[in-house]
Amino acid sequence: EWYARLRAVAQPNRLAHVLPEHRSTYGGLSTVPDIAVYRWGRSPRDARGRLVNQVHVPPDIAIEIVSPDQSLRELDARCRWYI
């Protein structure tokens, strides 16, 4: 639901690309936030202008949604790593 709402506003207005579970590798680790948001001008693209799957820059916004089997401590640590 969050993904759909963000995407419905951000992409048609060319504000940002909203990507669900999009892997990015930087800082020596790979992360897969529940939702990654890249400002329109920072969206990871190839030479043809298409969005790429291999990303080596952090998203502008990384959204993590706590799951039933995940502890808040675990989620907190993950969110702090993004910062």
Side-chain angles (χ1 to χ4, degrees):
E1 184 176 336
W2 279 100
Y3 165 73
R5 287 181 182 205
L6 287 169
R7 186 181 168 124
V9 172
Q11 289 191 204
N13 294 303
R14 295 181 154 217
L15 299 173
H17 277 99
V18 181
L19 307 167
E21 298 185 0
H22 193 259
R23 178 179 303 279
S24 55
T25 303
Y26 55 92
L29 294 173
S30 288
T31 62
V32 184
D34 293 312
I35 302 171
V37 179
Y38 290 90
R39 290 183 317 230
W40 196 263
R42 284 194 72 243
S43 297
R45 298 176 181 273
D46 64 14
R48 295 182 187 165
R50 296 179 300 191
L51 289 177
V52 296
N53 291 327
Q54 297 282 338
V55 179
H56 299 286
V57 295
D60 293 302
I61 300 172
I63 299 171
E64 291 289 347
I65 301 168
V66 68
S67 61
D69 62 334
Q70 188 177 35
S71 73
L72 288 178
R73 178 181 235 179
E74 203 175 20
L75 184 64
D76 181 64
R78 187 173 172 117
C79 289
R80 287 178 185 275
W81 184 86
Y82 288 118
I83 295 169

